[in-house]
Amino acid sequence: PRPTQPNETNPGPAKQPVCLATDTAAVAFPVTTVEVYGTSAADLAKVKKLLDDLISEECTSKDVQSTYLANLQEADKEAIVTLSQKNQVQILVASSDKLTVSGKKDDVLDTVLNISTFIQEAKEREAQESEKRRLRETLCWEVAGGESWVPLDSSISYQLELAFHKKQESFTYEEDEEVYTVNFRSLIRQSKRGITWRMKRTPIGDSDTAVAYGEGTYFAKDAWYSCRDLYSNPDESGFKYIYRARVVTGSPCKSRRGMKEPDPLDPNNPQAGLYDCAVNNLENPSIYVVFCDAGAYPDYLIIAKNT
């Protein structure tokens, strides 16, 4: 009988994820054996030292340390294993955030530069995901769907927001195999087939923001957030007044609606004191809430006007 070919009903064995420590350790290298003959042990020792010195001059080891090593994609890990084979360098994974590359100097440099590129890309991916999470908490782009407004996917909202802040006239994106172009001036979305929809940029939870994170004084990490008309209403001449402040953030706790003071450091020990402030997100805070006047100092008064 003919062997069964992998197909949709029989996809074959699943591809195993790359284990960087195991797969790099399994890379085999050619071995060169040098046999030296001489008339005395002293002469042999001199030759051995000369060979060792030549190898030391030609070879090196470089450490690569970053917490983002744990966030590398499967393709990046596969590329690192391939680099080890291609450049004939040994890669030792010491821990989840550190590896050592050893071999000829030029080959080690090339490998380290490539790994550094993968790490930088991992940093950028995490920063983008963090920005998307923050964006989901603050605003979204919506498209008219009948009598209601339908929010766009957070990744599309993020791309639209970037284009909007760059003051682009329009932005084109693809969703569900359809291409759309958004005109920021008219706030109209048009499909490739010519169908149009109204669009709007909607801050999330505007009506509840004043108490959403506690009953304290709010400070934004990013200036653009405070520049919104909701928080810095322009006067009759169109001027906004915004403070740049120094804020004692210290040890923050997670904010919650109705909070009148930070949570205790240790609920079982009243003598331990309280946290210094509250934040909307412990991992990547964008809003800080201070509950005492001494927790913030207004450094500059910024007067600005929209053009």
Side-chain angles (χ1 to χ4, degrees):
R2 296 178 59 188
T4 303
Q5 296 295 322
N7 52 42
E8 293 183 0
T9 57
N10 181 27
K15 186 176 180 181
Q16 294 296 319
V18 176
C19 175
L20 204 55
T22 303
D23 291 355
T24 53
V27 175
F29 303 101
V31 177
T32 301
T33 302
V34 178
E35 294 185 2
V36 181
Y37 299 90
T39 57
S40 69
D43 290 338
L44 291 174
K46 288 180 181 179
V47 173
K48 182 179 183 303
K49 184 179 184 306
L50 178 62
L51 291 173
D52 289 340
D53 290 343
L54 289 173
I55 293 172
S56 297
E57 289 177 7
E58 184 68 21
C59 298
T60 188
S61 292
K62 294 285 186 183
D63 290 337
V64 178
Q65 190 157 7
S66 172
T67 56
Y68 292 94
L69 282 171
N71 298 340
L72 295 180
Q73 295 180 330
E74 285 297 296
D76 298 336
K77 296 177 184 178
E78 291 176 359
I80 291 173
V81 175
T82 301
L83 281 169
S84 177
Q85 297 167 335
K86 174 187 172 185
N87 290 347
Q88 291 293 289
V89 293
Q90 182 184 48
I91 299 178
L92 173 64
V93 179
S95 62
S96 61
D97 63 351
K98 181 181 178 182
L99 55 81
T100 302
V101 183
S102 304
K104 293 178 64 176
K105 289 181 179 179
D106 290 345
D107 297 330
V108 167
L109 177 60
D110 179 69
T111 304
V112 169
L113 288 175
N114 277 278
I115 294 174
S116 297
T117 299
F118 300 148
I119 291 172
Q120 182 60 34
E121 290 171 351
K123 286 183 181 179
E124 292 172 358
R125 284 194 301 272
E126 183 170 307
Q128 188 176 98
E129 288 303 316
S130 176
E131 186 67 10
K132 287 180 184 178
R133 289 193 297 269
R134 185 187 65 78
L135 188 65
R136 282 198 296 267
E137 296 178 357
T138 56
L139 63 88
C140 71
W141 284 82
E142 296 179 304
V143 60
E147 298 181 356
S148 61
W149 291 92
V150 180
L152 293 175
D153 182 81
S154 61
S155 61
I156 297 175
S157 277
Y158 173 73
Q159 295 170 27
L160 283 168
E161 191 65 16
L162 286 182
F164 179 79
H165 278 283
K166 291 177 182 176
K167 300 187 182 301
Q168 296 179 203
E169 292 185 3
S170 63
F171 179 78
T172 300
Y173 68 91
E174 184 175 346
E175 184 181 33
D176 297 331
E177 299 183 355
E178 181 64 86
V179 177
Y180 301 98
T181 299
V182 177
N183 185 302
F184 291 120
R185 186 181 296 274
S186 61
L187 287 181
I188 294 294
R189 183 183 79 167
Q190 182 172 327
S191 71
K192 200 171 184 179
R193 293 177 291 171
I195 304 173
T196 60
W197 295 263
R198 289 178 297 135
M199 295 277 296
K200 72 174 182 176
R201 181 172 176 265
T202 308
I204 295 175
D206 281 348
S207 60
D208 299 327
T209 302
V211 294
Y213 302 112
E215 299 179 15
T217 304
Y218 286 44
F219 296 91
K221 178 181 177 182
D222 299 309
W224 69 264
Y225 192 89
S226 299
C227 289
R228 291 161 56 186
D229 289 349
L230 179 68
Y231 307 115
S232 52
N233 292 321
D235 62 15
E236 62 277 3
S237 300
F239 288 102
K240 292 170 171 283
Y241 301 87
I242 305 163
Y243 279 109
R244 179 188 174 189
R246 300 184 187 186
V247 181
V248 179
T249 57
S251 298
C253 64
K254 180 68 174 70
S255 64
R256 64 179 181 278
R257 179 179 295 277
M259 177 183 279
K260 297 183 182 297
E261 64 178 13
D263 288 334
L265 289 166
D266 183 356
N268 299 319
N269 180 13
Q271 302 300 321
L274 306 175
Y275 284 95
D276 298 294
C277 71
V279 294
N280 63 324
N281 186 312
L282 286 173
E283 293 184 1
N284 185 33
S286 58
I287 297 174
Y288 293 83
V289 186
V290 176
F291 298 89
C292 64
D293 293 339
Y297 176 79
D299 215 5
Y300 294 95
L301 172 61
I302 301 172
I303 303 174
K305 187 177 184 179
N306 288 332
T307 57

